[in-house]
Amino acid sequence: MSKHFRLQSKMSRALFLLLIYVVGYSWSSSVPLQSVNDWGGRFQGSFMIPIKEQTDGWEVVVTFSEPVTGFSQWKGDVIKTSPDNRIYTLVNKQHLSIQNPGNILEIQVQGEYKGTQAPQGHAVFKNLGFGHDHQTLPPFVQSTGTKYDYDEIIMKSILFYEAQRSGKLPAHNRIPWRFDSALNDHGNNGEDLTGGWYDAGDHVKFGFPMSASTTMLEWGLLQYKDAYVNSGELEHMYDCIRWPLEWLLKCHTAPHELYVQVGDGSKDHSYWGRPENMTMERPAFKITESNPGSDIAAEYAAAMAAGYMVFKDKDPAFAAKLLTHSKQLYEFALMFKAKYSDSVNAASAYYRSNAYEDEMTWGAAWLYWATNDTKYLTEAEKWYPLGEVPAWGQSWDDKNAGNMVPINFWLSDHGVLLYKLTRKDKYKQDIEATFTSWFPGASGTIPYSPKGLAFRSQWANMAFMALLAADEGIHTTEYRTWAKSQLHYALGDSGRSYVVGFGTNPPQRPHHRASSCPMVPAPCASFEMQQKGPNPHVLYGALVGGPGKNDDYTDSRSNYINNEVACDYNAGFQSAITGAGTKYDYDDVLMKSILFYEAQRSGKLPANNRITWRADSALKDRGDNGEDLTGGWYDAGDHVKFGFPMAATTTLLTWGLLQYKDAYLHSGQLEFMYECIRWPLEWLLKCHTAPEELYVQVGDGGQDHGFWGRPEDMTMARPAFKITSSKPGSDVAAEYAAAMAAGYLAFKDKDQAFATKLLTHAKQIYAFALKYKGLYSTNDLTWGAAWLYRATRESQYLTKAEKWYLQGEVPAWGQSWDDKNAGNMIMLYNLTGNQKYRQDIETTFNDWMPGGSIPYSPKGMAFRLQWGALRYACNVLFVANMAFMALLAADEGIHSTEYRKWAKSQIHYALGDGGRSYVVGFGNNPPQRPHHRSSSCPMMPSPCGWSSMSNPGPNPHILYGALVGGPDGSDTYKDARDNYISNEVACDYNSGFQSAVAG
């Protein structure tokens, strides 16, 4: 051997070793060539590759130290050879794709060489199966504060739609196992029909379910845009729905010509593989004047009209194009009426249409919403009576449930006279009839699984319909609770998740071709459908078909009934998720607000006291004749017990419990809430010492405010003050009566004896208020009488309520312990339906909404009063929507969307949208130094005095749940204990706030 040859050989081997190091470091596993048989110029050897993890598809890169020709082996197919014949890349043969952990994959190779001895070799093994596609999820931070992370679900559902894309993928494609596909999709005359979504686990593009899915997703975006903003998914959502809209536009090739399908279902379903590898013929099918399809044309029109509303401010040119095509398509649907599946036989085996009338209503309703052109409203109502009531469901082929909901919304929102005079009740009744049929109970017709799944068709769409109906004021709490129960079943309440890549034990083997294939370049065919392991790629966000009627489910790829995925499955589901969530954890707020009231307790504390820094206090509170006046709540950061705000607080809290009991139930706070309101009610009863004698205060404000310390350490005199026939107070007496009447309603089924006692005292106290009027406000007399009428249904109380209401103030200044006008309007409208009260409500909220007389801070807080600004914002918020205005909006339909949106804006300001939380112990940068004596004191027995007030540090005890007075009109706020205007807390601050959060 020449010196030059030996040097070259050494360099070659060094380079080879370097390649081994680099390649071995980059790939999964590297093994040397062994058991070599050298026959001089020809060799044979084996690579013994240990399988360390489940493998579905693999690649091996073989590198030799010298060129090898005539290379052969039997385990894979060579897909690449280096120019110098030293590196061979092979992928598994189809029948050898599955390799189980613990196995040894032996690849025996042969070849020829020109050197003096057989070459050395190394093989680098790469798993192309599960977990090796290098897909990374975008970062996200949960903003919903819900049992399940709705933000994560929204993000992953959008990723599912990205995995369904056909055509040339965008540069920012986030699905690493998907590439350009079906680039030859064309119409009969060469029209470009690339793009759109593959329908399900197959690769046909069915226009009907694709357009229906698009409409449902757009509706969710229009209705719940804030959910996308808060989850950080808004721009991805715009991209998501633009993808199918672009394809729908391509399909409309002439005014009366519309492509509705690309791909033959039979040929497609006989192929199992990647869309990128398809070679079969993909015919296109269309409707025309001679082969019409009103149903699908109207659905395309609906999707485009909804798309117009989504994009009209974001991309006016694109939106205008959508609206133009939408109008043309609806005219086409009107002129040539037929079911599309009667014209397109290729679709009838897969998506056969039952009728076209519901789509005629659907398309017209969306066009009316988009254009406000009454001709579309006329068409919508013309076709609507032909619909089915109760609705069978909401799906790509059945729009009756959806038609009921949007018409109710559109007609009430636009104030169309015909609907107002003749049709309002009909649509509402149809919605109610539908959900009565769907809900559990004697009147329901839908079977339920043992674990609570309503068993019919696509499970999530009716949850979305229920949320929309709730937004329009129809049985808000009941419908939202049911919708969430169905969504939560799918997310995990049933014991497992049915959403791929989310939650506990999610599906791993969805019936979906592309995700079942290993990474390119491994082959993919029917063997992949049959393999038992997980799909190599996680199809994030896909909702599978779901369990059977007995909650039975098998996670099997061959189970195309229960484990199929589809674009239309996810559409209603994703939209429902956006409507079910909240930005802040309301359950946490409810729990902590109740703890605040426990921290305010006076008297002998119960054995289950949860406030470790509180003990028995004010045990000597007595009336003039020694009556026991212990108990009740301290008013604010001081230790006086003021009966008027305490009673008013109790009424509002009880109203919230009556209206939103489910919120307390589902948050696990119901029993705590009963204890919460019983505490002041017991004290109010103690205060009523004779039919015409009522204690209304314990403690002297002057002396009390001169003391900074614990209530347990008080030594000053605590006089009691009362009203009598000679010193009357109709206002406070009527408020006590209201609180007790409301308490009766809360406890009548839980503690009948206590409830009866409350009602007896309420009647006596209201009679006292009427008999001796002294200094009083008429709105309190209305308030007390309205509550007594609600409790007793005795007409005398309704007569009195309406009599005194006439002297009320409109618009209402606000709702507080001293002003009940807003609450009176809502109560009386709820009890009577009289339009006068509705008009007064509207006048009041026209005054309160932006553009009215109420100023707003730069960050959006309605600013009524410097002292306790958030007190008034939140109490009127309670009235406006999240409590009683929610009642009216929910049950009576008064500007539902507008009032609810405003209400949330005010509550969310307090919870964090103002840049910080104003609730102690909750959220971002909450107050740490509330003006509150007891929580500012160190643990006993350490002394507490004015030095504790002036201590610059945080209060030693967190006064969980307390809402502080809040910032000024410029959003300026200082967290200082001596700032008794902005940093005071009070029982009545929290009452409307808590009830609004519950709503």
Side-chain angles (χ1 to χ4, degrees):
M1 183 183 295
S2 70
K3 180 178 179 181
H4 174 73
F5 181 84
R6 288 196 299 271
L7 179 61
Q8 185 181 46
S9 178
K10 289 181 179 178
M11 291 176 64
S12 177
R13 291 172 187 271
L15 178 60
F16 169 65
L17 292 173
L18 178 63
L19 284 170
I20 292 174
Y21 175 79
V22 173
V23 175
Y25 183 81
S26 302
W27 297 94
S28 299
S29 179
S30 176
V31 296
L33 181 66
Q34 54 184 308
S35 303
V36 177
N37 294 315
D38 188 348
W39 300 298
R42 293 181 61 247
F43 74 97
Q44 181 187 66
S46 295
F47 295 106
M48 308 296 288
I49 303 172
I51 303 301
K52 299 177 181 179
E53 60 185 358
Q54 186 66 41
T55 301
D56 177 15
W58 47 266
E59 175 185 87
V60 170
V61 178
V62 176
T63 303
F64 294 108
S65 59
E66 299 176 20
V68 172
T69 58
F71 176 78
S72 64
Q73 49 76 48
W74 297 272
K75 297 294 178 71
D77 296 312
V78 177
I79 60 171
K80 184 179 180 181
T81 304
S82 66
D84 63 359
N85 291 324
R86 292 181 57 252
I87 303 175
Y88 292 84
T89 303
L90 54 135
V91 295
N92 62 276
K93 289 186 179 297
Q94 177 63 43
H95 68 286
L96 296 174
S97 63
I98 305 298
Q99 298 294 322
N100 297 313
N103 290 352
I104 300 295
L105 173 64
E106 180 181 1
I107 301 178
Q108 191 176 78
V109 300
Q110 294 183 7
E112 300 175 359
Y113 65 94
K114 293 183 178 181
T116 59
Q117 61 183 27
Q120 295 182 359
H122 268 74
V124 177
F125 177 85
K126 180 182 180 182
N127 187 349
L128 299 177
F130 180 76
H132 291 272
D133 56 19
H134 304 293
Q135 181 168 1
T136 58
L137 295 177
F140 64 92
V141 177
Q142 182 181 11
S143 69
T144 56
T146 50
K147 180 177 182 180
Y148 297 100
D149 191 338
Y150 293 166
D151 290 348
E152 181 185 353
I153 300 163
I154 293 169
M155 177 268 289
K156 289 179 175 176
S157 184
I158 292 173
L159 285 177
F160 164 67
Y161 284 107
E162 293 183 15
Q164 295 300 99
R165 283 174 170 170
S166 177
K168 185 170 181 59
L169 300 188
H172 58 265
N173 170 43
R174 299 188 293 171
I175 312 299
W177 44 273
R178 284 300 324 284
F179 305 94
D180 299 345
S181 62
L183 297 182
N184 292 320
D185 283 356
H186 291 93
N188 297 345
N189 299 307
E191 302 95 338
D192 176 16
L193 297 180
T194 60
W197 287 326
Y198 296 123
D199 178 57
D202 54 11
H203 305 129
V204 182
K205 295 188 293 196
F206 290 107
F208 208 157
M210 192 192 306
S211 55
S213 298
T214 305
T215 310
M216 291 286 276
L217 287 167
E218 290 164 329
W219 198 358
L221 176 56
L222 290 167
Q223 190 79 5
Y224 304 118
K225 185 176 179 179
D226 284 351
Y228 289 104
V229 173
N230 296 331
S231 66
E233 293 298 318
L234 182 60
E235 290 305 316
H236 288 134
M237 186 56 184
Y238 282 129
D239 289 344
C240 175
I241 58 177
R242 185 161 188 148
W243 192 266
L245 285 171
E246 295 277 13
W247 186 79
L248 298 178
L249 287 171
K250 288 181 179 181
C251 290
H252 190 208
T253 48
H256 295 166
E257 181 178 88
L258 180 68
Y259 281 94
V260 297
Q261 181 177 329
V262 177
D264 179 272
S266 178
K267 292 180 179 180
D268 185 275
H269 288 187
S270 66
Y271 165 78
W272 193 278
R274 304 180 186 91
E276 293 83 358
N277 300 143
M278 291 187 297
T279 58
M280 81 284 282
E281 181 184 7
R282 289 175 59 80
F285 305 90
K286 62 185 176 182
I287 57 171
T288 62
E289 294 178 3
S290 57
N291 291 291
S294 300
D295 40 13
I296 195 167
E299 183 60 74
Y300 274 48
M304 292 179 188
Y308 161 78
M309 289 188 287
V310 168
F311 285 100
K312 63 188 176 76
D313 297 322
K314 184 174 180 62
D315 188 339
F318 180 57
K321 185 178 181 182
L322 288 167
L323 189 57
T324 298
H325 282 263
S326 177
K327 292 177 178 179
Q328 290 178 359
L329 283 166
Y330 193 76
E331 290 305 311
F332 178 27
L334 279 176
M335 290 179 67
F336 303 95
K337 300 184 187 70
K339 294 184 295 181
Y340 93 111
S341 52
D342 291 341
S343 299
V344 181
N345 291 331
S348 61
Y350 305 97
Y351 287 100
R352 176 179 292 277
S353 177
N354 291 317
Y356 61 79
E357 289 83 0
D358 54 329
E359 277 83 22
M360 298 302 291
T361 294
W362 183 246
W366 278 103
L367 275 162
Y368 173 64
W369 192 359
T371 65
N372 205 29
D373 187 334
T374 56
K375 73 177 183 181
Y376 294 116
L377 176 58
T378 301
E379 287 295 331
E381 296 203 279
K382 167 187 168 183
W383 292 104
Y384 177 80
L386 302 178
E388 175 188 313
V389 179
W392 188 88
Q394 178 74 12
S395 71
W396 66 269
D397 186 42
D398 190 337
K399 311 304 185 311
N400 279 320
N403 285 334
M404 297 170 191
V405 177
I407 288 179
N408 194 17
F409 170 74
W410 293 315
L411 299 186
S412 63
D413 191 59
H414 289 271
V416 179
L417 182 62
L418 178 63
Y419 172 76
K420 182 177 180 180
L421 295 176
T422 66
R423 306 304 293 272
K424 175 182 177 181
D425 287 342
K426 169 177 172 48
Y427 297 125
K428 180 176 179 180
Q429 290 164 6
D430 286 353
I431 294 168
E432 291 173 324
T434 292
F435 283 106
T436 296
S437 174
W438 268 81
F439 282 10
S443 301
T445 62
I446 308 298
Y448 277 72
S449 75
K451 294 181 180 179
L453 173 68
F455 193 75
R456 172 179 283 181
S457 186
Q458 289 142 301
W459 51 3
N461 287 344
M462 287 303 283
F464 181 39
M465 293 299 107
L467 291 169
L468 292 168
D471 287 345
E472 300 316 313
I474 303 174
H475 305 296
T476 305
T477 301
E478 180 185 6
Y479 285 13
R480 286 187 64 84
T481 299
W482 179 82
K484 291 180 76 170
S485 76
Q486 298 302 292
L487 293 174
H488 285 189
Y489 180 104
L491 296 177
D493 279 8
S494 60
R496 67 174 304 153
S497 166
Y498 291 97
V499 180
V500 179
F502 176 86
T504 299
N505 192 21
Q508 294 184 299
R509 302 162 188 85
H511 183 86
H512 184 265
R513 288 160 173 76
S515 67
S516 79
C517 295
M519 282 294 288
V520 174
C524 184
S526 58
F527 192 85
E528 303 301 334
M529 196 273 279
Q530 300 164 11
Q531 69 97 354
K532 304 300 184 183
N535 284 18
H537 312 295
V538 180
L539 189 63
Y540 287 108
L543 178 71
V544 298
K549 63 182 179 181
N550 294 315
D551 302 303
D552 50 300
Y553 169 77
T554 301
D555 182 13
S556 169
R557 198 172 298 106
S558 61
N559 183 1
Y560 59 84
I561 295 176
N562 299 103
N563 234 29
E564 176 85 278
V565 299
C567 289
D568 59 321
Y569 287 14
N570 265 67
F573 170 71
Q574 179 177 317
S575 292
I577 288 294
T578 62
T582 56
K583 185 175 182 179
Y584 298 98
D585 188 343
Y586 293 164
D587 290 351
D588 189 35
V589 180
L590 289 178
M591 179 268 289
K592 288 176 176 173
S593 184
I594 291 172
L595 285 177
F596 164 66
Y597 284 108
E598 293 182 16
Q600 294 299 100
R601 283 173 171 171
S602 178
K604 184 171 180 58
L605 300 188
N608 63 1
N609 170 44
R610 299 187 291 172
I611 311 301
T612 58
W613 43 274
R614 285 297 325 282
D616 299 344
S617 63
L619 296 182
K620 296 181 179 180
D621 285 355
R622 294 288 186 271
D624 295 347
N625 298 306
E627 301 94 340
D628 177 13
L629 298 181
T630 60
W633 287 324
Y634 297 123
D635 178 57
D638 54 11
H639 305 130
V640 181
K641 295 189 292 198
F642 290 107
F644 207 158
M646 192 191 305
T649 296
T650 305
T651 309
L652 285 185
L653 286 170
T654 307
W655 202 354
L657 173 59
L658 292 169
Q659 190 66 22
Y660 303 118
K661 185 177 179 179
D662 283 346
Y664 290 101
L665 179 64
H666 293 301
S667 66
Q669 297 300 310
L670 183 59
E671 290 305 315
F672 290 118
M673 186 56 184
Y674 279 124
E675 291 179 11
C676 176
I677 59 173
R678 185 164 188 144
W679 193 265
L681 284 170
E682 295 276 13
W683 186 79
L684 297 178
L685 286 171
K686 288 182 178 182
C687 290
H688 189 211
T689 49
E692 296 177 359
E693 181 177 87
L694 184 68
Y695 281 93
V696 297
Q697 181 177 330
V698 177
D700 178 270
Q703 292 185 41
D704 185 274
H705 288 186
F707 167 78
W708 191 276
R710 304 180 188 90
E712 294 82 0
D713 299 335
M714 291 187 297
T715 59
M716 79 285 284
R718 289 176 58 80
F721 304 90
K722 62 186 177 183
I723 58 171
T724 62
S725 57
S726 60
K727 293 184 177 181
S730 297
D731 41 11
V732 70
E735 182 60 76
Y736 274 49
M740 292 179 186
Y744 163 79
L745 291 168
F747 284 98
K748 65 186 177 70
D749 297 323
K750 186 175 179 63
D751 186 337
Q752 190 173 14
F754 180 57
T756 300
K757 184 176 182 181
L758 288 168
L759 187 59
T760 299
H761 281 263
K763 291 178 178 179
Q764 290 179 358
I765 293 172
Y766 191 75
F768 174 33
L770 284 179
K771 187 175 180 181
Y772 302 98
K773 296 195 179 66
L775 177 64
Y776 66 95
S777 168
T778 60
N779 61 53
D780 292 297
L781 292 173
T782 294
W783 183 246
W787 275 105
L788 275 163
Y789 176 67
R790 182 171 174 178
T792 65
R793 295 295 160 172
E794 294 179 16
S795 59
Q796 60 164 318
Y797 293 116
L798 180 59
T799 299
K800 291 180 174 66
E802 294 201 279
K803 168 188 173 182
W804 293 106
Y805 178 82
L806 298 176
Q807 300 175 41
E809 175 188 312
V810 178
W813 190 87
Q815 176 77 11
S816 74
W817 65 268
D818 189 38
D819 190 337
K820 313 300 187 314
N821 276 325
N824 286 335
M825 297 169 189
I826 292 166
M827 178 75 83
L828 288 173
Y829 182 59
N830 175 255
L831 294 175
T832 70
N834 190 320
Q835 290 298 306
K836 168 182 169 45
Y837 303 121
R838 174 179 177 138
Q839 291 166 6
D840 288 351
I841 294 167
E842 291 174 324
T843 299
T844 293
F845 285 101
N846 287 340
D847 194 47
W848 268 87
M849 294 283 184
S853 69
I854 308 298
Y856 279 72
S857 75
K859 294 181 179 179
M861 179 181 68
F863 192 76
R864 168 60 89 181
L865 183 68
Q866 176 66 45
W867 193 301
L870 285 175
R871 176 193 302 204
Y872 284 101
C874 292
N875 280 334
V876 172
L877 170 61
F878 164 74
V879 176
N881 213 352
M882 297 297 280
F884 293 126
M885 188 51 71
L887 169 66
L888 294 176
D891 295 340
E892 310 300 338
I894 303 178
H895 305 294
S896 304
T897 302
E898 181 185 5
Y899 285 6
R900 184 171 286 274
K901 182 178 180 180
W902 179 82
K904 288 180 72 173
S905 75
Q906 297 301 294
I907 278 291
H908 284 188
Y909 180 102
L911 295 178
D913 281 8
R916 66 176 302 155
S917 168
Y918 292 99
V919 179
V920 178
F922 176 86
N924 178 52
N925 191 23
Q928 294 184 301
R929 303 164 186 83
H931 183 85
H932 185 264
R933 288 160 172 76
S934 187
S935 66
S936 78
C937 294
M939 281 296 289
M940 293 180 278
S942 296
C944 182
W946 285 102
S947 61
S948 295
M949 197 276 279
S950 58
N951 173 21
N955 285 19
H957 310 296
I958 300 175
L959 189 63
Y960 286 109
L963 179 72
V964 299
D968 64 18
S970 300
D971 300 303
T972 301
Y973 169 78
K974 183 180 179 182
D975 183 14
R977 200 172 296 107
D978 60 358
N979 184 359
Y980 58 84
I981 295 178
S982 297
N983 233 28
E984 176 84 278
V985 299
C987 289
D988 62 320
Y989 286 20
N990 266 65
S991 59
F993 170 73
Q994 179 178 316
S995 294
V997 167

